[in-house]
Amino acid sequence: MSPTPTVMNWPALLSSKRFKTVAGVVRPTSTPATNEGAPGLRSDFHIDHDRVVFSTAFRRLGRKTQVHPLAQHDHTHNRLTHSVEVASVGRSLGNRVGVMLEHGGFLPAGYTPFDIGAVVQVACLAHDIGNPPFGHTGEDALREWFRDPAHSPFLYDLTPQQARDITTYEGNAHGLRMVASLEMYAGEGGMRLTAAAIGALIKYPWTSDAQPAYERDKFNIYQAERPYFEAVAAELGLLRRADNQWCRHPLSYLMEAADDICYAILDLEDAVEIGILDVREFESLFSSLGEVERAWANHSTRQKCATIRGVAIGRCVSEVAEKFMLHQPALLAGAFQGKDLIDVCEPQLRDTLLEAKRIASQRIYNHRSKLITEIASFPCLGTLLDILVPAVHMRVTAQEELTSRQKLALGLLADTPIDAGDTLYSAYMKVLDLVGSMTDNAAANLARELSGVGIL
């Protein structure tokens, strides 16, 4: 019996193997994805990129909240533009790290530095693909509905692990579900992305019943996707910490850093755009991250912000890549002690980004225009669950005959109908798939229509 490995290695971590699900069994795909195009024109990781970009789940991000729900301003970010920009920063980070790995003799044969950039880019593109309408507030609204004691009878027939999944809607876990189960080859491996891309995507590699999930209400793996992820983790050689808990793929730290860099800087840029923050405050905060040639007299506010943003992101990319290489041994051993890569950067950069997040938290995230819409998201999503969950519960448990209203409600699940093979858990997951996939506008409109307001 071979000894249990104590360190991860790059040849396994960069695996381009893809997995599919057949009759509930997860196995590698038998046909290489490179058959989709002429050899050499698209790498396996480029194919990953194209599969994410052309998915309907990715397209829907264009109408999902980034910071400002249902924003009316054309220049503020939504989840789609945010994801594209995070992917751009992630690619730069990955390319820079790839060059360093190559120079250090760590890059496996057959790979180029741009492969590292491509893997991180794919993970960044998909990192928000599971977010529900209204962003993190939408997550809270879905969780609160199922955790309401008045709704506890709907959970009686679930196992404790299943109940944890249902009562803890997690955008990250639904992101894995999107790419592994729902899109492209639905129920048969989803997008069938490479193992490397899946690994880089997973920020919280544990299930909802693992200890870290109880501590943080954050996890990446629903029970429904656990067999799939176990196969991917074994292929990548991810170290197992405990039952249903693994160490992170090192490249997931670059995906996380790209996201942190973008929202720390760009959320404030959006605030300048819509008049919540003065451009001079933006300039003052980020001036410490690099010299900007100032000829502001003929520049618009938007141009000033763009110039400052470009310099700041460039400094962040350089610094984070260096810290990744410095901590590479710990990352490969699953022993990295920092909160994240930003946390171990030079104090000037780290503190600037922390201050940007503090300003955003105090002056942007609590702005009245944002708060009103977020408060309204609770009754909005609650209206949808009020109608769907009782109907689904009655359909699966068959305790009584369905009412006319419940029969009509099940019609909303026409694309993924509840059938005889569904358990209560799988049926509820279909409800969460439907509601979680909606855009902000679609959820708001459907709730309004179902309420009967304005029916005539």
Side-chain angles (χ1 to χ4, degrees):
M1 184 175 179
S2 58
T4 302
T6 58
V7 66
M8 295 176 279
N9 66 84
W10 285 115
L13 289 168
L14 295 177
S15 172
S16 60
K17 187 173 290 185
R18 302 169 188 274
F19 291 87
K20 62 182 178 181
T21 306
V22 179
V25 178
V26 181
R27 60 185 63 171
T29 58
S30 56
T31 305
T34 46
N35 284 355
E36 294 183 6
L41 295 182
R42 288 198 301 166
S43 72
D44 286 298
F45 306 130
H46 290 150
I47 291 170
D48 286 347
H49 171 279
D50 294 348
R51 289 184 176 184
V52 173
V53 166
F54 282 94
S55 69
T56 56
F58 185 72
R59 193 179 313 126
R60 284 194 297 263
L61 294 176
R63 299 294 284 176
K64 288 198 176 189
T65 293
Q66 170 58 19
V67 173
H68 307 282
L70 302 173
Q72 300 299 312
H73 201 292
D74 290 341
H75 294 280
T76 55
H77 289 81
N78 55 48
R79 287 285 172 186
L80 181 62
T81 53
H82 169 72
S83 296
V84 170
E85 290 173 348
V86 171
S88 179
V89 174
R91 182 186 60 216
S92 296
L93 279 169
N95 287 346
R96 185 177 285 264
V97 165
V99 168
M100 293 177 175
L101 288 172
E102 185 176 52
H103 287 173
F106 302 110
L107 193 65
Y111 292 92
T112 73
F114 304 110
D115 288 323
I116 305 296
V119 171
V120 179
Q121 182 183 30
V122 171
C124 290
L125 281 172
H127 85 283
D128 272 348
I129 207 168
N131 275 30
F134 311 112
H136 295 304
T137 303
E139 288 180 315
D140 291 338
L142 294 171
R143 294 174 180 181
E144 185 172 294
W145 192 95
F146 278 104
R147 292 177 181 181
D148 186 335
H151 301 142
S152 59
F154 296 121
L155 306 176
Y156 288 164
D157 295 320
L158 299 174
T159 68
Q161 294 84 359
Q162 292 171 344
R164 276 286 296 174
D165 281 1
I166 299 302
T167 59
T168 317
Y169 185 102
E170 225 301 322
N172 292 288
H174 241 81
L176 175 61
R177 183 165 170 80
M178 283 288 184
V179 301
S181 298
L182 302 182
E183 287 279 341
M184 198 169 174
Y185 298 100
E188 299 180 356
M191 295 184 194
R192 298 181 183 176
L193 302 181
T194 61
I198 293 293
L201 172 65
I202 305 304
K203 187 176 176 181
Y204 308 106
W206 50 79
T207 57
S208 66
D209 60 329
Q211 187 59 38
Y214 285 99
E215 296 169 355
R216 306 170 63 180
D217 255 0
K218 292 286 187 182
F219 63 96
N220 246 115
I221 309 162
Y222 287 127
Q223 295 298 318
E225 280 67 53
R226 183 170 54 82
Y228 176 90
F229 186 77
E230 285 180 337
V232 171
E235 172 65 20
L236 295 171
L238 301 185
L239 303 177
R240 189 183 287 269
R241 289 190 181 276
D243 288 343
N244 300 324
Q245 182 183 352
W246 293 262
C247 291
R248 291 175 66 177
H249 191 297
L251 296 184
S252 72
Y253 287 92
L254 296 181
M255 177 272 292
E256 177 185 38
D259 187 29
D260 285 347
I261 291 167
C262 284
Y263 80 72
I265 298 173
L266 296 171
D267 284 1
L268 264 59
E269 186 175 357
D270 276 353
V272 174
E273 183 71 42
I274 63 178
I276 297 176
L277 194 70
D278 190 275
V279 67
R280 289 169 294 186
E281 296 177 86
F282 186 83
E283 178 183 359
S284 175
L285 177 62
F286 292 111
S287 61
S288 64
L289 298 186
E291 288 296 322
V292 178
E293 293 185 12
R294 292 180 178 83
W296 294 139
N298 297 320
H299 285 191
S300 67
T301 295
R302 195 173 297 152
Q303 287 174 310
K304 293 176 183 178
C305 287
T307 301
I308 295 166
R309 176 229 307 148
V311 171
I313 288 178
R315 166 72 185 282
C316 289
V317 167
S318 176
E319 177 78 15
V320 168
E322 289 179 5
K323 292 302 182 286
F324 180 94
M325 293 304 299
L326 178 65
H327 293 276
Q328 182 192 189
L331 292 168
L332 290 172
F336 179 64
Q337 296 299 309
K339 174 179 174 287
D340 49 45
L341 288 175
I342 301 294
D343 186 50
V344 298
C345 284
E346 296 300 323
Q348 184 185 57
L349 184 147
R350 181 196 64 214
D351 294 346
T352 296
L353 295 185
L354 286 175
E355 177 63 10
K357 294 178 182 179
R358 186 193 67 79
I359 292 173
S361 178
Q362 291 185 355
R363 297 174 58 185
I364 301 172
Y365 303 153
N366 288 323
H367 193 267
R368 186 176 185 276
S369 62
K370 177 176 171 60
L371 291 177
I372 289 175
T373 304
E374 290 188 336
I375 292 170
S377 70
F378 284 82
C380 171
L381 297 183
T383 294
L384 303 183
L385 295 180
D386 285 343
I387 291 172
L388 288 167
V389 173
V392 165
H393 183 268
M394 192 63 69
R395 169 71 173 80
V396 175
T397 61
Q399 294 175 345
E400 298 176 16
E401 185 176 347
L402 289 169
T403 66
S404 297
R405 185 172 189 255
Q406 289 171 342
K407 291 176 182 177
L408 293 171
L410 291 175
L412 296 173
L413 293 161
D415 289 340
T416 53
I418 309 301
D419 54 44
D422 274 312
T423 63
L424 191 59
Y425 173 70
S426 64
Y428 283 167
M429 290 304 293
K430 287 182 177 180
V431 171
L432 292 176
D433 292 341
L434 171 67
V435 177
S437 68
M438 289 181 178
T439 63
D440 297 2
N441 289 296
N445 290 337
L446 182 58
R448 183 166 52 251
E449 291 166 354
L450 293 175
S451 72
V453 175
I455 193 170
L456 296 176

